């Protein structure tokens, strides 16, 4: 099968298209013929191997997993003998190790049936970014109906989902983005849109019950000035910066002493949240926003686009 393979850490040139063997499956596993995969900033981080401390988990000198990518949508090709809920021919979406390939495998609980109202490309985009938005707003932000919620970086991968999920939870949503993305953010349900090139939400104006900052372009103290007295700031930005690890450390310390500052946390994909997202999609409360679609051989270029930080929604690989 064709796959994108990485034998060392570095920039996009470490990714090569090669022919490799199909993945093997165990008794509880599912083999999926991949129709589409999506890219998030974590793929760039794993490709580059930075920050270095991350390699304790991913491989010190080279990646443990040679085929990158996690979020996929496709058709079940084969199942292990103990798989009960899926069968060959089912269209599914979910996550795995080695998504940037013609075939991928994972245990059955990594997949659910694809919503009928989504294409494979759209379904592949419901992955890490959507899960992060859901967990940030529901589990950490505890968004309630009628609250005023601001999403900074509302046109990005996490941001486009956060706007829609916050609206689904009944919040009054303000999205912050650049001029070219104002209409996009308005089209996905934001009640108010702020063009950051013309207005700084931190200087006067409304106060918010929750701010989800996916950008990290200002100090956390400056951003907290836009909070209501009992408001909360969730800082999800800064992943593109070289000092991302230092920002996480500072965030951890600040959250211990500042009531309005949410603490950092690790987001894990799980089948229960994938099912929640599927239900939101089927209810037409959430629709994936696709920045662009690239063929498998152009995966390095697609990851470079995401790493630059200018993607509108999610970038997808069509396999």
């Amino acid at each position: 099968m064709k796959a994108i393979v990485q034998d060392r850490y570095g920039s996009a040139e470490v990714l090569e298209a090669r022919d490799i063997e199909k993945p093997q499956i165990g008794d509880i596993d599912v083999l999926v013929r991949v129709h589409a995969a999506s890219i998030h900033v974590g793929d760039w981080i794993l490709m580059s191997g930075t920050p270095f401390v991350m390699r304790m988990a991913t491989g010190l000198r080279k990646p443990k997993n040679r085929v990158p990518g996690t979020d996929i949508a496709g058709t079940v090709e084969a199942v292990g003998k103990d798989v009960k809920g899926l069968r060959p021919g089912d269209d599914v979406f979910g996550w795995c190790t080695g998504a940037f390939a013609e075939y991928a495998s994972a245990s059955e609980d990594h997949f659910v049936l694809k919503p009928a109202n989504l294409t494979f490309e759209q379904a592949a985009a419901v992955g890490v970014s959507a899960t992060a938005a859901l967990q940030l707003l529901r589990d950490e932000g505890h968004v309630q109906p009628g609250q005023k919620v601001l999403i900074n970086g509302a046109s990005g991968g996490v941001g486009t989902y956060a706007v829609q999920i916050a609206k689904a939870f009944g919040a009054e949503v303000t999205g912050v983005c650049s001029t070219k993305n104002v209409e996009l953010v308005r089209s996905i349900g934001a009640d108010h849109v702020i063009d950051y090139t013309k207005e700084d939400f931190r200087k006067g104006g409304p106060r918010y019950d929750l701010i989800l900052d996916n950008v990290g372009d200002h100090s956390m103290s400056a951003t907290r000035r836009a909070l209501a007295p009992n408001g909360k700031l969730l800082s999800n930005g800064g992943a593109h910066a070289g000092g991302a690890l230092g920002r996480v450390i500072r965030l951890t310390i600040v959250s211990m002493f500042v009531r309005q500052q949410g603490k950092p946390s690790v987001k894990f994909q799980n089948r229960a949240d994938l099912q929640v997202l599927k239900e939101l999609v089927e209810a037409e409360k959430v629709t994936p926003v696709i920045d662009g679609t690239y063929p498998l051989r152009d995966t390095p270029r697609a990851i470079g686009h995401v790493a630059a930080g200018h993607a509108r929604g999610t970038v997808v690989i069509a396999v």
Side-chain angles (χ1 to χ4, degrees), residues 80-266:
K81 69 180 184 66
D82 293 333
V83 171
K84 305 299 183 185
L86 296 173
R87 61 185 181 181
D90 285 341
D91 292 334
V92 297
F93 73 115
W95 76 99
C96 64
T97 297
F100 301 152
E102 291 181 317
Y103 292 88
S105 66
S107 61
E108 179 184 13
D109 63 2
H110 283 46
F111 301 105
V112 299
L113 294 174
K114 181 180 76 67
N117 59 335
L118 291 189
T119 65
F120 284 108
E121 288 78 8
Q122 290 174 312
V126 184
V128 169
S129 296
T131 301
L134 175 65
Q135 293 177 2
L136 283 162
L137 294 171
R138 181 195 62 194
D139 304 337
E140 299 183 35
H142 306 292
V143 174
Q144 301 298 316
Q147 286 187 324
K148 295 182 182 295
V149 174
L150 181 137
I151 311 296
N152 190 26
S155 61
V158 174
T160 51
Y161 283 111
V163 168
Q164 296 177 81
I165 292 171
K167 281 293 296 180
F169 289 168
E172 180 182 335
V173 181
T174 298
V176 181
C177 60
S178 65
T179 306
K180 69 176 183 178
N181 294 321
V182 167
E183 290 306 316
L184 167 66
V185 174
R186 185 174 287 119
S187 73
I188 59 176
D191 299 287
H192 316 283
V193 183
I194 295 175
D195 179 349
Y196 70 77
T197 68
K198 300 177 180 179
E199 181 182 353
D200 187 347
F201 70 87
R202 302 166 184 85
K203 297 179 179 178
R207 293 292 180 263
Y208 301 94
D209 300 297
L210 178 70
I211 295 175
L212 173 56
D213 184 7
N214 297 305
V215 182
D217 55 344
H218 286 71
S219 71
M220 291 178 282
S221 60
T223 303
R224 288 195 301 270
R225 296 189 191 112
L227 288 171
N230 293 318
K232 188 174 186 179
L233 168 63
L234 299 178
S235 299
N236 187 51
H240 294 84
L245 180 60
R247 182 177 176 84
V248 170
I249 294 172
R250 291 195 303 274
L251 178 56
T252 302
I253 295 171
V254 171
S255 65
M256 295 171 63
F257 300 99
V258 179
R259 177 179 53 81
Q260 290 183 309
Q261 181 65 58
K263 61 183 179 181
S265 64
V266 178

Side-chain angles (χ1 to χ4, degrees), residues 3-23:
I4 300 299
V5 178
Q6 176 183 356
D7 291 325
R8 66 189 192 279
Y9 294 112
S11 53
E13 66 266 14
V14 304
L15 302 178
E16 299 179 5
R18 298 184 196 166
D19 286 308
I20 64 173
E21 295 294 323
K22 285 184 184 179

Side-chain angles (χ1 to χ4, degrees), residues 28 44-45 49 54 57 72 125 143 183 319:
I28 63 170
W44 167 71
I45 293 172
M54 180 196 68
I72 65 168
V143 174
E183 290 306 316
V319 182

